[in-house]
């Protein structure tokens, strides 16, 4: 059995190709998660504004992203951008763009929820002890909003990482795409190839995502005390 | 003639089209305890919120120690440092422990030294019987304990006067007492206070003066003994009657005689 496993991963450049695929997956994930968090905070704050135009704009953006399957967004941007506007983006850039658009919308909604769910009395109590508005935000509102945000943000992060394999369909050589190519080639002479390759991919996703949820549990415990 | 800490002249307050306070005048002397009572929606809570600048007013003037706090450019954060306010909902900051809750205002708003304030806070906590809870988080306290901490948090700012807005209204009955005792203690020390409450026995005990509000105006203003014994207006009598209950007797067969008219 070990022989068959070795023949899959050690033949040719299979192992290093898988690692390159992993690097692609991580690159898309990290860049789009970080961009989504930063942009999402601003869009989320905008969603709490009283300006109707701003509200309508952010609302439309959020709803469009919500109802659109990620795959459709990927196809739309990958195949149509160049035809309509003559913009030529690499598949990788399209992947990061689409995932950031999606992540920003979800993050914005989380931020909006965290802020609007804050009891009105928290701000008033801050005022009543003579704090300025910026002190109230800094010491009372933001620390609590961050805590309320955390579970949703962790959930969003792992969901984004788990969804990156969709880039498969616009031919980005991510971990799953590379794995599938390896299975196609080695599968002809090794019936267990799909089990070992996808098993390894499963393990890699687990190793990436599990610590993230552990970290969230740790923080929640720490803040609860 | 004692000095007036608070002077309110011709106060008008509206929410949109609806005016809830119609030209209210009120003076509070130094050390005086004014209890404000009245049916819900009469504007008594709104009155307190106007004094602390939590609600903008439409007309009139409020003076604190002779200085207007409603005309010109007002630094509300500085005014509020002189007026302590405690709300009905337990409004401690849930992400800070008891000590941090108390220190936030004195340290950040007033920029005082930590050692001084901490010693003061401990003394105040000891007075309300909560020194052993200084490291606890609000979620670990009962409603009555939270309200006592909220009072200490306001007191630690060394305010000129205190405003209490129905602070026992959402407490379980057995916790009302411990909070009211703290307020009685403050009255005893000569703290100037305005108290909105529905606890009539407490009002009678703590008040130097009772203000009865209805429909956004002061209907009656009197010493508590006089007010509760002989309210001068129908509206006040009607309001006080809502706290009285007629006795209801059920007739049981064996003691039929007793309930025959």
């Amino acid at each position: 059995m070990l022989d068959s496993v070795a023949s899959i991963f050690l033949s040719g450049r299979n192992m290093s190709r898988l690692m390159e695929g992993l690097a692609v997956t991580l690159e898309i994930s990290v860049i789009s998660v970080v961009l989504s968090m930063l942009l999402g905070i601003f869009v989320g704050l905008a969603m709490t504004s009283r300006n109707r135009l701003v509200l309508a704009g952010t609302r439309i953006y959020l709803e469009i992203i919500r109802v659109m399957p990620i795959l459709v967004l990927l196809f739309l941007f990958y195949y149509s951008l160049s035809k309509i506007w003559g913009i030529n983006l690499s598949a990788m850039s399209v992947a990061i763009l689409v995932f950031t658009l999606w992540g920003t919308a979800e993050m914005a909604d989380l931020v909006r929820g965290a802020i609007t769910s804050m009891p009105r009395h928290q701000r008033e109590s801050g005022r009543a002890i003579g704090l300025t508005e910026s002190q109230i935000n800094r010491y009372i509102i933001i620390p609590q909003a961050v805590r309320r945000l955390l579970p949703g943000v962790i959930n969003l992060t792992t969901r984004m990482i788990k969804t990156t394999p969709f880039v498969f369909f616009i031919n980005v050589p991510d971990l799953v795409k590379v794995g599938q190519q390896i299975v196609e080639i080695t599968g002809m002479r090794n019936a267990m190839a799909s089990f070992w390759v996808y098993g390894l991919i499963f393990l890699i996703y687990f190793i990436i995502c599990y610590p993230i949820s552990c970290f969230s549990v740790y923080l929640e415990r720490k803040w609860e005390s | 003639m004692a000095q007036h800490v608070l002077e309110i002249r011709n106060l008008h307050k509206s929410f949109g089209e609806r005016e809830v306070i119609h030209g209210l005048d009120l003076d509070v002397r130094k050390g005086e305890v004014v209890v404000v009572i009245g049916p819900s929606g009469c504007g008594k809570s709104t009155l307190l919120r106007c004094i602390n600048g939590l609600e903008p007013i439409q007309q009139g003037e409020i003076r604190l120690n002779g200085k207007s706090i409603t005309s010109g450019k007002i630094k509300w954060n500085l005014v509020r440092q002189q007026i302590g306010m405690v709300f009905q909902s337990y409004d401690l900051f849930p992400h800070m422990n008891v000590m941090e809750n108390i220190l936030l205002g004195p340290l950040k708003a007033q920029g005082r030294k930590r050692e001084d304030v901490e010693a003061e806070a401990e003394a105040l906590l000891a007075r309300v019987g909560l020194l052993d809870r200084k490291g606890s988080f609000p979620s670990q306290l009962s409603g009555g304990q939270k309200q006592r901490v909220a009072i200490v948090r306001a007191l630690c700012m060394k305010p000129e006067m205190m405003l209490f807005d129905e602070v026992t209204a959402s407490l379980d009955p057995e916790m009302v007492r411990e909070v009211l005792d703290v307020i009685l203690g403050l009255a005893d020390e000569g703290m100037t206070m305005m108290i909105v409450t529905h606890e009539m026995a407490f009002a009678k005990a703590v008040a130097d003066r009772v203000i009865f509000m209805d429909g956004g105006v002061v209907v009656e203003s009197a010493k508590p003994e006089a007010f509760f014994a002989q309210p001068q207006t129908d509206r006040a009598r009607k309001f006080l009657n809502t706290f009285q209950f007629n006795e209801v007797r059920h007739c049981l067969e064996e003691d039929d005689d007793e309930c025959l008219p």
Side-chain angles (χ1 to χ4, degrees), chain A residues 191-211:
Chain A
M192 290 295 281
S194 65
F195 174 78
W196 292 115
V197 171
Y198 291 128
L200 177 69
I201 291 174
F202 163 81
L203 203 67
I204 290 174
Y205 272 99
F206 181 80
I207 292 170
I208 299 172
C209 291
Y210 186 64

Side-chain angles (χ1 to χ4, degrees), chain A residues 120-122 124-132 135 139-140 143-144 147 225, chain B residues 49 77 80-81 87 89 91-96 104-105 108-109 137 153 157:
Chain A
R120 186 177 56 117
H121 267 288
Q122 286 292 311
E124 289 191 345
S125 307
R127 286 186 189 145
I129 54 172
L131 295 173
T132 61
Q135 285 174 324
Y139 297 112
I140 299 169
Q144 289 186 66
R147 279 157 216 228
S225 61
Chain B
R49 294 169 60 80
N77 59 317
R80 291 180 185 129
Q81 290 175 22
F87 302 88
S89 57
D91 53 347
L92 298 180
F93 309 126
H95 60 300
M96 299 180 178
L104 186 63
K108 303 300 174 193
F137 281 83
R153 184 174 68 183
M157 302 291 292

Side-chain angles (χ1 to χ4, degrees), chain B residues 147-167:
Chain B
Q147 256 338 11
R148 283 184 280 160
V149 172
I151 294 173
V152 168
R153 184 174 68 183
L155 285 177
C156 218
M157 302 291 292
K158 300 192 167 170
E160 287 288 318
M161 69 177 302
M162 289 281 288
L163 309 174
F164 292 93
D165 188 7
E166 299 194 36
V167 290

Side-chain angles (χ1 to χ4, degrees), chain A residues 27-74:
Chain A
E27 187 182 342
I28 298 172
S29 303
V30 170
I31 295 177
S32 42
V33 165
V34 169
L35 284 177
S36 299
M37 301 293 133
L38 295 176
L39 295 172
I41 290 172
F42 289 108
V43 179
L45 287 173
M47 290 174 87
T48 65
S49 118
R50 292 209 185 98
N51 186 318
R52 284 204 187 151
L53 214 64
V54 174
L55 280 182
T58 50
R59 194 80 222 161
I60 290 170
Y61 163 60
L62 179 67
E63 293 303 332
I64 287 177
I65 298 291
R66 260 198 190 151
V67 298
M68 272 292 227
I70 293 293
L71 196 53
V72 176
L73 281 175
L74 283 171

